[in-house]
Amino acid sequence: MPREPALTEPGPTQTLPTEPVPAEPLPASSPPASSDPPSSRLPALERSAGRSWWRGAPGRVVAAVVLGVALAVACLPLGVVPKLACAVLGLGCPDMTAPAGRLPERVRLTPVQAAQSGAYVGLGDSYSSGEGVYDQDTEPVNDGADRCHRASGSYVPVIAETYRFAGGTAFYACSGATTGQLLTGQWGHPPQISRVGPEASLITLSIGGNDAGFSKVLTACIAKLPWSSACVDQDAAVEHRIGQLRADMLKVLRELRGRAPEARIVVLGYPRPFPQDPVASVDNLSADDQRWINGVARRLNDTVGAVVRDFDRAIAAFGGPGSAEYVDAYEAFTGHEVGRQQPYLNGLALDMDPINVNARSYHPTGEGYRRFAELITEQIAAGPGRPLNNYRLTASP
């Protein structure tokens, strides 16, 4: 038997050649070389393949099925299921947390809110100034009231007390005003229109009666000879003046809206002065005269009302804020006309020293102005008969 070589002490270290020995290339399809034997590599490969399969679509389907069965068995509340599904399946889940704040919201104002949101401005002629009760005041209600006969008994102060207007109240109606004078001024005072600004939210006025020459017409009727037809003979001239009023009324509305684009403009008509079917003479006015004067008031109201309604339709068509509204007061004094026991309109009033026709003649009494206040109040609450395009923004929480 050959002997194994004897173990000896190691000798001096020998230097190996430095020239590298080229490695034989592996085929492209061959897996990388590993120092582990094939039997040890197999479990690792299986585990890796399992993870890849789990992450793919088939794995998520299986997981979803398993999750659904588990949740059904557990009987969890429905609100928990989406959250668990998002977490287990790795799906994108929406952020359900409430935002820190939200944008202000636009809220449509009610008719009353729109009217009260700014200032109230009372304009117009003697049917708004309070001519019929002016001599009951002991002192002027404001600067210039003595020339314009503005009275505390007018409907304007009543409206100001009924509602709380954010911008306060301005009262500048002036007795005798025409549409032209409303724009240019009277008695050396600034024009009524100049009192209106963008802060106005409600504007009321009566206008047009003086343009039609109503006071002069009535005076001519009263002063005529009893058998004369001088009253009704004025019809052609009155009709002409009322026809011209259409353009003048439109100009007033345009000026008001230009100055207060978000305001509700409420135009008050005139009451029928005499009963619908008069039977007796009143203040030298025959029944025929009374019917004719009633007809003049009707034509005047129809003309002004048509202009106002057309103007509001234009505002609505363009979706603009504010409104133009007409209050037909023709039947407002029914049962309380001149000649009745409790009239809402003064009849002929004469001052004896010197003899003169008092300006309160054929103007509303205190009850008449309160009736006007009721009509305006009802209109403020009702609105223009369409949704207003006035809005406010709610504050962010």
Side-chain angles (χ1 to χ4, degrees), residues 49-86:
R51 284 195 299 270
S52 298
W53 181 84
W54 171 263
R55 292 171 183 166
R60 286 197 296 270
V61 172
V62 174
V65 173
V66 174
L67 177 63
V69 173
L71 294 176
V73 173
C75 297
L76 294 177
L78 291 177
V80 177
V81 175
K83 298 179 180 178
L84 287 177
C86 291

Side-chain angles (χ1 to χ4, degrees), residues 120 127 155-156 158-159 162-163 202 204 264 266-272 301 325-334 344 364 367-383:
Y120 168 39
Y127 272 63
Y155 69 83
V156 175
V158 177
I159 298 299
T162 303
Y163 295 97
L202 176 67
T204 61
R264 292 180 60 188
V266 179
V267 180
L268 178 67
Y270 298 93
R272 187 185 65 237
N301 284 352
E325 307 168 38
Y326 180 70
V327 177
D328 192 343
Y330 186 73
E331 302 286 351
F333 291 1
T334 297
Y344 286 178
E367 291 82 0
Y369 282 114
R370 284 189 285 275
R371 177 64 180 132
F372 279 171
E374 292 175 359
L375 295 178
I376 297 292
T377 300
E378 292 170 2
Q379 186 65 35
I380 291 174

Side-chain angles (χ1 to χ4, degrees), residues 82-321:
K83 298 179 180 178
L84 287 177
C86 291
V88 173
L89 301 180
L91 301 175
C93 300
D95 184 5
M96 303 302 291
T97 58
R102 68 169 185 263
L103 292 175
E105 295 181 1
R106 203 171 63 149
V107 179
R108 189 190 298 270
L109 299 183
T110 66
V112 173
Q113 289 173 335
Q116 292 182 291
S117 62
Y120 168 39
V121 185
L123 307 177
D125 56 21
S126 55
Y127 272 63
S128 292
S129 71
E131 178 70 83
V133 293
Y134 170 72
D135 55 5
Q136 298 177 17
D137 282 0
T138 57
E139 58 183 21
V141 296
N142 58 16
D143 183 41
D146 54 336
R147 297 302 300 270
C148 288
H149 287 194
R150 283 190 286 273
S152 60
S154 167
Y155 69 83
V156 175
V158 177
I159 298 299
E161 292 177 1
T162 303
Y163 295 97
R164 180 174 296 177
F165 296 95
T169 300
F171 182 19
Y172 288 103
C174 193
S175 183
T178 63
T179 54
Q181 290 171 327
L182 191 144
L183 302 178
T184 61
Q186 294 170 262
W187 311 113
H189 298 161
Q192 293 186 47
I193 193 73
S194 68
R195 312 293 188 171
V196 178
E199 72 284 353
S201 57
L202 176 67
I203 302 168
T204 61
L205 71 156
S206 57
I207 201 72
N210 293 310
D211 294 73
F214 201 81
S215 294
K216 294 179 180 179
V217 168
L218 193 58
T219 299
C221 288
I222 293 173
K224 69 174 178 54
L225 296 173
W227 58 85
S228 171
S229 63
C231 185
V232 297
D233 289 346
Q234 302 176 86
D235 190 73
V238 171
E239 184 68 21
H240 176 71
R241 290 193 291 267
I242 291 178
Q244 290 181 319
L245 177 60
R246 183 178 296 273
D248 296 332
M249 189 68 211
L250 181 58
K251 185 177 181 180
V252 168
L253 293 175
R254 285 174 174 168
E255 289 289 335
L256 289 173
R257 181 158 178 80
R259 291 172 175 269
E262 297 191 5
R264 292 180 60 188
I265 303 170
V266 179
V267 180
L268 178 67
Y270 298 93
R272 187 185 65 237
F274 302 103
Q276 184 174 356
D277 296 310
V279 295
S281 294
V282 176
D283 296 336
N284 197 35
L285 299 170
S286 68
D288 287 340
D289 293 337
Q290 294 173 52
R291 277 190 286 268
W292 179 79
I293 294 172
N294 285 345
V296 171
R298 180 71 275 173
R299 281 181 281 172
L300 176 61
N301 284 352
D302 289 345
T303 298
V304 173
V307 174
V308 174
R309 284 187 285 268
D310 287 346
F311 194 79
D312 186 65
R313 278 192 285 268
I315 295 174
F318 286 95

Side-chain angles (χ1 to χ4, degrees), residues 380-392:
I380 291 174
R386 61 171 179 84
L388 285 165
N389 294 312
N390 293 60
Y391 298 89
R392 64 179 172 84

